[in-house]
Amino acid sequence: MRDVPLTGVERFFDDNDIIVSKTDLKGRITYANQVFLKIADFREAEVLGEPHSIIRHPDMPRCIFKTLWDTVQAGHEIYAYVVNRTKGGDHYWVYAHVTPSFDAQGRIVSYHSNRRVPDRAILESQIIPLYRQLKAIEDAPASRKDGLAASERAIADLLAEKGLAYDEFVATLAA
């Protein structure tokens, strides 16, 4: 799928729809609902067992995904705006709520994500400009590792300036 060029075409889903997926601890998809399959243009058999990054859009800053994974692997939930790509190279924005699932002993056994239609005004005024800035910072160094470190510093500096944790920052955008 990564060989499929991006189309620049944005797709939308209904305000009442919820995209749902579940993964194992390594991020491999174990469940995808029909809304997920429809908007991403996949059949269930094409995504089950595949890494969730199968829908990762290259414009999405890696530092946001790192924050997301660090948070859920630490046992906490997180809300994040994410741009995903479809099988055919289109894209769609979501407001994701990702949570770890625990067994009876309190161990994380999987991850669950519900994605809703994001607030368009927040996307255009806050998220898209921020993600473009983070992506530019990330792509500037020759090394991907150095780029990720630089974008992590940039988002940490932004949060420190606002005196907020990442989830608090995202929550303030909707206020």
Side-chain angles (χ1 to χ4, degrees), residues 47-122:
V47 298
L48 293 182
E50 294 296 321
H52 209 280
S53 60
I54 194 171
I55 59 167
R56 181 177 178 161
H57 193 285
D59 289 345
M60 188 67 201
R62 290 184 299 136
C63 67
I64 300 299
F65 278 122
K66 184 166 185 325
T67 298
L68 187 152
W69 278 106
D70 288 349
T71 301
V72 295
Q73 287 175 335
H76 306 288
E77 66 181 355
I78 188 168
Y79 291 87
Y81 292 87
V82 177
V83 61
N84 291 315
R85 72 182 294 175
T86 70
K87 182 178 175 182
D90 296 346
H91 68 276
Y92 58 98
W93 282 94
V94 299
Y95 183 57
H97 177 215
V98 186
T99 62
S101 299
F102 300 92
D103 67 10
Q105 285 73 45
R107 294 178 297 222
I108 298 172
V109 294
S110 62
Y111 302 105
H112 182 122
S113 178
N114 293 327
R115 278 96 70 197
R116 298 179 185 275
V117 172
D119 182 310
R120 195 76 204 173
I122 293 171

